[in-house]
Amino acid sequence: MKIAPDDLFLIIDVQNDFCPGGALAVADGDAVVPVVNRLAERFDHVVLTQDWHPAGHSSFATSHPGAAPFSEIAMPYGPQTLWPDHCIQGTAGAAFHPDLATERAELVIRKGFRTAIDSYSAFFENDRKTPTGLAGYLRERGFRRVVMAGLATDYCVQYSALDARRLGFETIVVLSGCRAIDLGGSLAAATTTMREAGVELVKDTV
Ligand code: VGL
Ligand code: ZN
């Protein structure tokens, strides 16, 4: 792919808790940092997302007595995987990885801040209806195409990519800048689902 002036580079959740040593560590998660930094330098416009939960968030297993992390429960808006406590507002775990180049970001979109609902996608919370405002921002700014990378491929990257596509943006995921949680085959499923939805998956940009 060739980068255009109306492309947006969207960096998903490159935060300490998703990196080795963090509360919800993604294997090799910190390996995306140099890749996304190098990519970000080549785009005119960069936006970051930040998973940003209040303590006691409903997606935390600890909020459901007896429930194990990585199990699934039924929430009013559908099935929800329960996670270890992570990315709690204001904690070191919620901060961006210290080597992530954040200076050129034009917007930081925080998500998951409502106790009763999780938000994987940068565009809609997990009811797939409550907007974060990012779609309106992109439209007003005139972006045509969203290129994304970050953590985790099979959760927040996938949901963001599917929503970007559904909203009518050309959507590209740069896989070399992503790492997955991979719960029970979720990476393979995410790859297939994204491809079938018309999301372009590329190894790298040239
Ligand atoms: C994420 C699980 C819970 C992600 C965020 O960034 O992919 N996954 N919260
Ligand atoms: Zn989260």
Side-chain angles (χ1 to χ4, degrees), residues 18 24 51-53 59-60 83 86-87 111 118-120 156:
F18 297 124
L24 179 40
D51 210 39
W52 194 251
H53 301 304
S59 75
F60 297 167
W83 304 106
H86 66 279
C87 296
K111 59 186 181 60
D118 202 5
S119 187
Y120 295 150
C156 292

Side-chain angles (χ1 to χ4, degrees), residues 37-84:
N37 283 348
R38 179 175 53 77
L39 283 169
E41 277 176 21
R42 300 172 49 211
F43 284 83
D44 291 344
H45 307 284
V46 178
V47 167
L48 310 176
T49 70
Q50 191 171 27
D51 210 39
W52 194 251
H53 301 304
H57 191 260
S58 60
S59 75
F60 297 167
T62 53
S63 303
H64 305 268
F70 307 106
S71 64
E72 202 176 271
I73 57 157
M75 293 286 267
Y77 54 82
Q80 171 70 49
T81 301
L82 295 177
W83 304 106

Side-chain angles (χ1 to χ4, degrees), residues 45-195:
H45 307 284
V46 178
V47 167
L48 310 176
T49 70
Q50 191 171 27
D51 210 39
W52 194 251
H53 301 304
H57 191 260
S58 60
S59 75
F60 297 167
T62 53
S63 303
H64 305 268
F70 307 106
S71 64
E72 202 176 271
I73 57 157
M75 293 286 267
Y77 54 82
Q80 171 70 49
T81 301
L82 295 177
W83 304 106
D85 291 20
H86 66 279
C87 296
I88 294 176
Q89 296 169 358
T91 63
F96 291 114
H97 186 287
D99 297 332
L100 182 70
T102 58
E103 305 78 30
R104 288 189 53 251
E106 295 172 356
L107 175 75
V108 176
I109 190 115
R110 288 174 166 169
K111 59 186 181 60
F113 50 75
R114 289 186 178 88
T115 300
I117 184 166
D118 202 5
S119 187
Y120 295 150
S121 166
F123 295 94
F124 295 100
E125 304 198 5
N126 284 8
D127 60 2
R128 315 306 293 270
K129 285 199 290 272
T130 306
T132 63
L134 183 58
Y137 178 87
L138 298 196
R139 289 190 184 123
E140 261 197 278
R141 298 269 329 262
F143 295 116
R144 224 181 36 77
R145 188 164 69 162
V146 183
V147 181
M148 63 180 81
L151 303 170
T153 323
D154 40 351
Y155 288 91
C156 292
V157 175
Q158 175 189 203
Y159 278 67
S160 298
L162 293 175
D163 283 344
R165 191 69 209 106
R166 181 158 66 96
L167 289 161
F169 298 101
E170 254 184 74
T171 309
I172 300 179
V173 172
V174 185
L175 292 173
S176 57
C178 300
R179 291 295 183 279
I181 295 174
D182 205 11
L183 277 186
S186 58
L187 176 58
T191 308
T192 306
T193 305
M194 287 193 282
R195 278 215 181 91

